[in-house]
């Protein structure tokens, strides 16, 4: 059976991107005319669409007004990140490149499942040199709800894969929740702000991507 592994980016494959993080404040001011404070907003594991709605609603911007300009906001975010991107925005976590290479050699199908909007995810994985590993992706510009990104990743892949052969790999309880809602497998990696205990409801939890053998052993079954 073909197996599809969908990787989260921030806290799983890479460090969080400072430029992407800051771009929320830039976009909210430029497109919606309000000052926001992304640093104090609990955002880990959320989609970019969800973060924008959360930040802007706190500033009393009505949902309808947010929605109206959301594509403009995505374009401003893309422009900001592509103009200001620096190595810290695509710093791979230890062993990420090696794990992807090994999995690809073992014929697993790899994809991205990230809250980042598609152009931001794409520029980061290209800069990190890992774009070649991925056959598909679901992104934070596709939908506000993370679990729905699985459907987008499957649709972009173009071939049907059984849900039991799909694995979401992420660093937050929200990644696990998304996997449950989408009826796919959940793998937790404790390299973000959550430890193995916080992620214990996943089907497999690893400390970091150096636990390659544990991951490969689990995927064999
Ligand atoms: Mg993450």
């Amino acid at each position: 059976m073909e197996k599809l592994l969908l990787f989260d980016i921030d806290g799983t494959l890479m460090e969080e991107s400072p430029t992407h993080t800051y771009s929320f404040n830039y976009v909210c001011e430029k497109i919606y005319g309000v000052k926001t404070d992304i640093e104090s907003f609990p955002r880990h594991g959320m989609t970019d669409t969800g973060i924008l709605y959360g930040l802007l609603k706190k500033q009393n911007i009505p949902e309808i007004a947010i929605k109206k300009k959301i594509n403009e906001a995505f374009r401003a975010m893309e422009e900001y990140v592509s103009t200001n991107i620096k190595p810290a925005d695509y710093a791979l976590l230890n062993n990420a490149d090696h794990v992807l290479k090994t999995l690809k050699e073992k014929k697993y199908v790899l994809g991205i499942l990230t809250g980042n909007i598609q152009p931001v995810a794409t520029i980061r994985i290209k800069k990190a040199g890992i774009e070649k590993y991925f056959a598909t992706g679901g992104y934070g510009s596709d939908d506000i709800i993370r679990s729905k990104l699985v459907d987008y990743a499957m649709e972009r892949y173009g071939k049907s894969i059984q849900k039991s052969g799909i694995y979401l790999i992420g660093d937050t309880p929200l990644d696990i929740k998304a996997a449950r809602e989408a009826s796919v497998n959940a793998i937790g990696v404790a390299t973000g702000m959550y430890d193995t205990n916080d992620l214990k409801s996943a089907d497999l939890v690893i400390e970091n991507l150096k636990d390659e053998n544990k991951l490969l052993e689990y995927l064999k079954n």
Side-chain angles (χ1 to χ4, degrees):
M1 183 178 74
E2 198 166 39
K3 287 185 174 176
L4 172 64
L5 276 53
L6 295 171
F7 282 87
D8 167 57
I9 297 182
D10 293 291
T12 304
L13 292 175
M14 291 182 204
E15 305 276 2
E16 193 176 354
S17 154
T19 302
H20 175 228
T21 300
Y22 185 75
S23 75
F24 285 93
N25 288 343
Y26 169 81
V27 165
C28 290
E29 181 149 19
K30 181 174 163 138
I31 306 299
Y32 297 96
V34 289
K35 287 216 183 285
T36 52
D37 178 16
I38 184 68
E39 290 294 341
S40 66
F41 187 77
R43 62 194 180 276
H44 297 95
M46 288 175 70
T47 60
D48 285 5
T49 305
I51 298 169
L52 279 172
Y53 272 84
L55 280 171
L56 290 162
K57 279 199 215 160
K58 254 176 93 175
Q59 301 303 320
N60 303 313
I61 308 278
E63 222 166 275
I64 184 108
I66 301 170
K67 196 173 175 192
K68 213 169 157 186
K69 289 188 170 179
I70 199 82
N71 287 323
E72 226 180 299
F74 291 161
R75 278 195 297 275
M77 181 177 277
E78 175 183 3
E79 170 222 289
Y80 184 87
V81 172
S82 58
T83 307
N84 296 289
I85 193 160
K86 50 188 183 298
D89 298 310
Y90 49 90
L92 288 171
L93 285 164
N94 214 343
N95 211 40
D97 195 298
H98 192 263
V99 167
L100 294 170
K101 187 167 173 276
T102 306
L103 291 167
K104 179 104 177 170
E105 281 167 5
K106 293 189 178 294
K107 308 288 180 214
Y108 290 102
V109 182
L110 308 183
I112 289 288
L113 196 118
T114 178
N116 288 197
I117 62 168
Q118 186 168 7
V120 169
T122 304
I123 190 174
R124 292 176 69 205
I125 64 170
K126 274 188 184 168
K127 286 272 189 187
I130 56 172
E131 193 203 9
K132 57 182 180 278
Y133 298 120
F134 301 108
T136 187
Y139 309 92
S141 39
D142 293 329
D143 202 285
I144 192 168
I145 299 165
R146 197 174 185 99
S147 60
K148 292 199 179 160
L149 308 185
V150 176
D151 293 333
Y152 284 89
M154 283 169 68
E155 200 180 300
R156 287 194 181 98
Y157 181 54
K159 281 190 255 170
S160 75
I161 293 188
Q162 282 177 32
K163 293 263 176 126
S164 59
I166 300 177
Y167 300 77
L168 281 204
I169 305 174
D171 67 304
T172 73
L174 288 180
D175 295 274
I176 302 169
K177 183 170 170 264
R180 297 294 172 239
E181 285 170 9
S183 307
V184 301
N185 304 288
I187 299 175
V189 190
T191 40
M193 58 186 299
Y194 298 94
D195 63 24
T196 51
N197 194 47
D198 297 324
L199 304 172
K200 64 174 185 252
S201 65
D203 302 301
L204 172 76
V205 185
I206 55 177
E207 286 277 356
N208 55 55
L209 292 177
K210 285 189 271 182
D211 275 353
E212 200 175 299
N213 292 337
K214 200 170 166 187
L215 179 63
L216 291 171
E217 201 53 44
Y218 166 73
L219 288 169
K220 268 199 261 172
N221 304 315

